Amino acid sequence: MALKGVVIDAGHGGSDPGASGNGIIEKDLTLLISKYMYDRLRELGIPTYITRTTDETIDSTERTNRIKNAFGTSKDVIVISNHINAGGGDGAEVIYALRNNSTFSNKILEELQKSGQNIRKNYQQRLPSNPIKDYYFIHRETGKTEPILVEYGFLDSPNDDVNQLKNNVLDYAEAVVRAVAEYANVPYTPP
């Protein structure tokens, strides 16, 4: 794949904390992951943009505008929206857009698994009111880009996710960096 650029989206922020529990606040962890990823992708020479670098509130319209204005809306733009799950499960999930195939999301799950995180699944999610549309605006409102929503683990997991999110989350961020490099045929060098 000839890659135009990668947009890193730190999920939530500001007045929208996302999920929280067990000493983890989603908006803070997604910012940590996203800033790390932004720096690493740039080190690898990949053009990269980040939607927020501080704890700011961004509504869905502003967020999608920032994504679309970074490198445009063509299919050679990857969008990675970083999130932390809640709901009592355990492991990582990746949600990809209806317009894309599972190749990139499979690669991310493989790399997360190599980094020690157990994986649940990758899937597409449809809007119940209109099943030909994606459920998540990050998939629905970003043109022809290849958007991926990564849920790194459950902050309310009864298993090991809580400790893993507190101790290993940058290993998981690096796993996604490896997946991007491999998917985009960019030489990878470890940090």
Side-chain angles (χ1 to χ4, degrees), residues 88-92 117-120 153-154 157-162 164:
D90 192 79
Q117 175 57 303
N118 58 311
I119 54 174
R120 287 166 62 90
F154 287 79
S157 168
N159 299 325
D160 56 2
D161 270 8
V162 174
Q164 288 175 311

Side-chain angles (χ1 to χ4, degrees), residues 73-87:
T73 58
S74 54
K75 62 185 180 187
D76 52 0
V77 177
I78 288 174
V79 180
I80 300 169
S81 188
N82 292 312
H83 293 269
I84 308 299
N85 224 332

Side-chain angles (χ1 to χ4, degrees), residues 18-187:
S20 60
N22 292 309
I24 298 170
I25 300 168
E26 182 175 9
K27 69 175 183 177
D28 296 338
L29 206 51
T30 62
L31 186 59
L32 178 74
I33 291 165
S34 298
K35 286 165 108 174
Y36 176 88
M37 231 180 245
Y38 173 78
D39 290 340
R40 283 291 294 132
L41 289 170
R42 288 172 57 96
E43 279 174 23
L44 296 176
I46 297 172
T48 308
Y49 173 84
I50 188 168
T51 56
R52 69 180 178 95
T53 56
T54 61
D55 184 20
E56 71 172 306
T57 305
I58 315 173
D59 68 21
S60 58
T61 302
E62 175 62 20
R63 197 176 292 271
T64 51
N65 284 340
R66 289 181 188 185
I67 290 168
K68 293 188 287 191
N69 292 337
F71 301 106
T73 58
S74 54
K75 62 185 180 187
D76 52 0
V77 177
I78 288 174
V79 180
I80 300 169
S81 188
N82 292 312
H83 293 269
I84 308 299
N85 224 332
D90 192 79
E93 296 182 345
V94 179
I95 305 107
Y96 61 102
L98 297 175
R99 64 183 169 273
N100 299 125
N101 64 36
S102 62
T103 305
F104 184 41
S105 59
N106 285 333
K107 175 63 50 202
I108 290 172
L109 289 176
E110 279 171 33
E111 293 300 331
L112 285 168
Q113 194 166 35
K114 287 180 194 170
S115 294
Q117 175 57 303
N118 58 311
I119 54 174
R120 287 166 62 90
K121 61 184 174 179
N122 57 338
Y123 59 98
Q124 297 168 309
Q125 192 157 353
R126 296 172 184 276
L127 194 62
S129 60
N130 186 349
I132 62 165
K133 290 190 171 181
D134 279 289
Y135 178 81
Y136 294 101
F137 75 85
I138 216 87
H139 296 139
R140 204 172 53 238
E141 307 293 337
T142 51
K144 293 182 174 145
T145 63
E146 183 157 6
I148 295 276
L149 202 149
V150 182
E151 299 272 10
Y152 288 86
F154 287 79
L155 53 73
D156 58 356
S157 168
N159 299 325
D160 56 2
D161 270 8
V162 174
N163 284 332
Q164 288 175 311
L165 288 170
K166 288 179 178 177
N167 300 316
N168 308 338
V169 80
L170 293 183
D171 295 340
Y172 304 155
E174 186 64 34
V176 177
V177 168
R178 281 196 310 273
V180 169
E182 189 168 327
Y183 186 63
N185 294 313
V186 172

